[in-house]
């Protein structure tokens, strides 16, 4: 069997690497139009940082895992084509700011139709609005050679970044949606099930109709994000009362009906999925004439935006209502630990707010590149005369970032931050030295003992 995957991003790359790793008898080719990305996948410096990914790629690459820019050849030879290209939120026209932009998906469908010489199974891996499979099928059928049959399946990916390899190796479930009403549809579902069954227990492989599968992905992300917005809303109330949000989360999480996960109050959720998928859900509800449902889910985003801006305002108000010219050390820029991904990271929004307030940012992140940080902050590294940006300094050393700073803001929960020598950091900072722990990961009592003024999310 031959598999091809269009799109070598955070989802396509690791997912295909795991399939190839687990199924030595299947040839897996990942194709992307971005040559730099493909070159990186073929090098020792993979474009995606994920714990454990290097080892998986090393075993399979060159054996039965290949990365290429020749997408047409890869499609032509494949029995199964996964489509794992980006589906960003539309920035133009109808649905701008909410609906998913499906142009990359449609282009893939046209490529597949053009080169296919025989039947293929097309698998939607990207998160898509409900009923996209229908559109995909229509484009495929309208553009392909006569007599060629395509079966479209939905197989949304539930991996979380930072734990992608573990999530792929041992997923809670694999979801496969297809045309359950036809013989060919059931056969296609069975074929994809047989791939995953090589390493995943059968009871974890769920099959549904197409629309349930497409919608489940949006709903899973909406529910997860809703829990974070719920606890973040309570964090604000905790700050006004004498309650402690971590204690509240622990207490309610002990109820087995609620459970302990995704109740960590924070500076706000980020990542490529939560906001995009909820906006997509909101758009769909509006489209199908359900404004009350749309408003209900939109509130999850509104609460998240508020949480981010509340954090930047807290920094400004605590630093005596001005951060003009003040150095603020930002620890962490990625949207969560153990990834170099910064899409929708809270650090970007807080950073931009602080830059608007004329602060000087000293940013330290163990994995995010300097270029990426400048891009996210919409700033250039040098001014017109070639001098370094005077408002932003990227610091590979956290102690250098904190030196001379008025405040230190923890933006990402990297484990390495917990082990830093905070006495040394304190000695290097201006006094009073403020810590704003946007992730509640530091030992606040100890910090206060050293002399820090500490602000933590959801704590008085
Ligand atoms: C998410 C889903 O978890 C995954 O199933 C889906 O396939 C893609 O979207 P991801 O965005 O990679 O995965 O990371 P996730 O661990 O869900 O975290 C998302 C954001 O929420 C991060 O910014 C994280 O820091 C934040 N978060 C998470 C909290 O603020 N509190 C929590 O309790 C959990
Ligand atoms: P995700 O997080 O969903 O994996 P990414 O943005 O990381 O999203 O990856 C999507 C990838 O898809 C990008 O590397 C992009 O270059 C690639 N891509 C977009 N359109 C096509 C296409 N028509 N054929 C192949 N790859 C494509």
């Amino acid at each position: 069997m031959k598999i091809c995957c269009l799109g070598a991003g955070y989802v396509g790359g690791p997912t295909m690497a795991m399939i190839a790793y687990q199924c030595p008898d299947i040839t897996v080719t990942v194709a992307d139009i971005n040559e730099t990305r493909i070159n990186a996948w073929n090098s020792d410096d993979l474009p995606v940082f994920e714990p454990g990914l290097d080892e998986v790629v090393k075993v399979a690459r060159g054996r039965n895992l290949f990365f290429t820019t020749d997408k047409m050849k890869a499609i032509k030879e494949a029995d199964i084509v996964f489509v794992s290209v980006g589906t960003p939120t539309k920035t133009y026209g109808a649905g701008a700011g909410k609906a998913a932009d499906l142009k990359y998906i449609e282009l893939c469908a046209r490529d597949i139709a053009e080169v296919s010489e025989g039947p293929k199974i097309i698998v939607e891996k990207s998160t898509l609005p409900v009923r996209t499979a229908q559109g995909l099928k229509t484009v495929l059928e309208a553009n392909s050679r006569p007599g060629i049959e395509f079966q479209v399946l939905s197989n949304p990916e539930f991996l979380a970044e930072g734990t992608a390899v573990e999530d792929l190796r041992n997923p809670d479930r694999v979801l496969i949606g297809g045309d359950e009403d036809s013989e060919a549809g059931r056969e296609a579902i069975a074929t994809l099930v047989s791939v995953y069954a090589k390493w995943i227990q059968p009871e974890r492989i769920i099959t549904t109709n197409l629309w349930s599968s497409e919608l489940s992905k949006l709903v899973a992300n909406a529910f997860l994000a809703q829990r974070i917005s719920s606890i973040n809303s309570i964090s604000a109330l905790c700050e006004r009362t004498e309650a402690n949000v971590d204690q509240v989360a622990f207490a309610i999480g002990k109820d087995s009906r609620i459970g302990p996960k995704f109740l960590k109050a924070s500076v706000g959720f980020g990542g490529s999925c939560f906001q995009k998928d909820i906006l997509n859900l909101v758009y769909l509800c509006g489209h199908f004439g359900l404004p009350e449902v749309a408003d209900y889910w939109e509130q999850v985003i509104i609460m998240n935006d508020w949480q981010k801006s509340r954090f930047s305002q807290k920094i400004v108000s605590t630093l005596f209502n001005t951060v003009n010219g003040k150095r603020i050390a930002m620890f962490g820029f990625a949207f969560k630990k153990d990834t170099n991904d910064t899409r929708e990271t809270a650090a970007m929004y807080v950073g931009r707010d602080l830059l608007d307030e004329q602060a000087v940012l000293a940013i330290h992140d163990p994995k995010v590149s300097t270029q990426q940080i400048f891009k996210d902050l919409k700033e250039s590294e040098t001014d017109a005369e070639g001098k370094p940006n005077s408002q932003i300094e990227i610091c590979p050393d956290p102690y250098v970032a904190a030196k001379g700073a008025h405040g230190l803001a923890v933006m990402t929960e990297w484990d390495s931050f917990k082990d830093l020598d905070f006495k040394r950091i304190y000695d290097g900072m201006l006094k009073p030295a403020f810590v704003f722990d946007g992730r509640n990961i530091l030992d606040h009592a100890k910090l206060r003992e050293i002399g820090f003024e500490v602000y933590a999310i959801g704590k008085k």
Side-chain angles (χ1 to χ4, degrees):
M1 187 190 289
K2 285 192 172 170
I3 288 181
C4 138
C5 175
L6 299 174
Y10 281 88
V11 173
T15 313
M16 291 306 123
M18 184 57 74
I19 291 181
Y21 177 85
Q22 302 283 5
C23 313
D25 54 325
I26 300 179
T27 302
V28 181
T29 306
V30 191
D32 201 296
I33 46 179
N34 182 334
E35 195 177 351
T36 317
R37 211 167 231 200
I38 288 299
N39 289 342
W41 278 112
N42 280 321
S43 76
D44 287 336
D45 192 13
L46 302 183
V48 169
F49 169 73
E50 279 293 343
L53 183 61
D54 283 12
E55 290 74 33
V56 171
V57 171
K58 224 170 258 163
V59 169
R61 196 173 57 195
R63 176 186 76 180
N64 63 327
L65 174 66
F66 304 94
F67 294 93
T68 179
T69 50
D70 191 349
K71 57 179 172 159
M72 293 313 212
K73 179 163 177 273
I75 298 170
K76 198 174 187 169
E77 293 174 349
D79 306 295
I80 304 181
V81 182
F82 283 81
V83 180
S84 190
V85 298
T87 48
T89 304
K90 253 185 110 178
T91 53
Y92 54 87
K98 285 210 174 89
D101 192 340
L102 298 179
K103 73 173 174 201
Y104 304 107
I105 297 281
E106 184 181 333
L107 286 172
C108 290
R110 290 183 188 279
D111 287 342
I112 296 167
E114 188 186 322
V115 299
S116 293
E117 289 168 350
K120 288 188 198 306
I121 298 174
I122 314 303
V123 185
E124 300 174 341
K125 199 72 185 151
S126 315
T127 308
L128 293 165
V130 186
R131 304 201 76 86
T132 303
Q134 190 55 54
L136 210 54
K137 215 168 176 343
T138 309
V139 172
L140 287 167
E141 278 164 6
N143 294 283
S144 58
R145 293 165 211 197
I148 295 187
E149 290 263 341
F150 295 100
Q151 276 300 320
V152 179
L153 301 179
S154 158
N155 172 222
E157 186 47 62
F158 294 104
L159 69 79
E161 290 179 37
T163 52
V165 173
E166 221 11 70
D167 294 344
L168 288 165
R169 202 190 300 273
N170 190 20
D172 286 344
R173 78 317 204 174
V174 167
L175 180 57
I176 298 171
D179 179 4
E180 293 176 307
D181 297 330
S182 75
E183 184 57 37
R186 288 192 292 273
E187 252 172 47
I189 295 173
T191 303
L192 190 55
V193 167
S194 75
V195 172
Y196 286 108
K198 296 250 163 80
W199 79 98
I200 294 162
Q201 304 94 298
E203 61 277 12
R204 294 206 181 177
I205 305 177
I206 305 170
T207 58
T208 64
N209 76 30
L210 264 172
W211 325 126
S212 303
S213 173
E214 287 180 334
L215 185 58
S216 295
K217 171 67 194 213
L218 295 181
V219 174
N221 278 342
F223 268 60
L224 291 169
Q226 183 195 38
R227 283 172 70 95
I228 304 169
S229 274
S230 295
I231 200 70
N232 281 345
S233 75
I234 299 304
S235 75
L237 185 59
C238 288
E239 288 166 30
R240 300 283 164 91
T241 61
E242 303 254 327
N244 172 326
V245 76
D246 286 343
Q247 292 178 342
V248 174
F250 183 77
I252 66 167
K254 281 288 174 192
D255 185 327
S256 59
R257 294 167 301 175
I258 295 175
K261 294 182 180 164
F262 274 71
L263 288 180
K264 182 77 184 152
S266 69
V267 54
F269 61 74
S272 69
C273 287
F274 284 175
Q275 169 157 321
K276 184 186 74 164
D277 290 354
I278 293 176
L279 289 171
N280 197 336
L281 187 65
V282 167
Y283 181 75
L284 277 173
C285 294
H287 175 79
F288 287 108
L290 299 167
E292 289 80 3
V293 185
D295 291 350
Y296 176 78
W297 287 106
E298 188 159 25
Q299 198 58 35
V300 174
I301 301 286
I302 294 171
M303 181 53 58
N304 195 49
D305 288 343
W306 183 69
Q307 186 76 348
K308 289 181 274 187
S309 66
R310 202 166 78 79
F311 190 76
S312 11
Q313 279 163 21
K314 187 74 194 179
I315 295 177
V316 176
S317 64
T318 305
L319 293 178
F320 316 107
N321 286 318
T322 176
V323 289
N324 188 321
K326 290 182 180 170
R327 184 176 175 95
I328 314 277
M330 288 180 92
F331 278 18
F333 201 82
F335 82 98
K336 63 188 278 196
K337 72 171 179 179
D338 293 338
T339 177
N340 60 347
D341 193 351
T342 61
R343 287 178 288 180
E344 293 301 328
T345 178
M348 166 168 83
Y349 293 98
V350 172
R352 284 186 202 157
D353 286 349
L354 295 174
L355 290 174
D356 285 346
E357 293 283 346
Q358 312 288 316
V360 175
L361 302 182
I363 304 171
H364 163 74
D365 188 285
K367 287 286 169 200
V368 180
S369 72
T370 297
Q371 296 90 310
Q372 190 62 46
I373 295 175
F374 275 98
K375 193 169 158 216
D376 290 334
L377 292 173
K378 298 195 171 137
E379 293 277 333
S380 47
E381 291 184 47
T382 50
D383 65 13
E385 291 156 26
K387 290 202 206 104
N389 188 315
S390 58
Q391 251 193 304
I392 303 169
E393 185 184 326
I394 308 300
C395 307
D397 180 339
Y399 297 102
V400 172
K403 202 163 172 51
H406 290 252
L408 186 168
V410 178
M411 305 305 302
T412 312
E413 73 282 21
W414 286 101
D415 290 333
S416 59
F417 297 164
K418 295 184 207 163
D419 303 327
L420 293 171
D421 177 351
F422 278 92
K423 176 74 176 81
R424 184 177 158 199
I425 288 178
Y426 179 79
D427 289 342
M429 286 177 66
L430 299 186
K431 309 297 174 324
F434 293 94
V435 168
F436 303 89
D437 189 351
R439 297 290 186 164
N440 286 353
I441 53 161
L442 302 180
D443 182 342
H444 301 148
K446 199 166 147 207
L447 292 179
R448 291 198 177 98
E449 227 169 74
I450 294 172
F452 282 105
E453 301 279 334
V454 181
Y455 164 76
I457 302 274
K459 298 185 185 184
K460 192 158 167 34

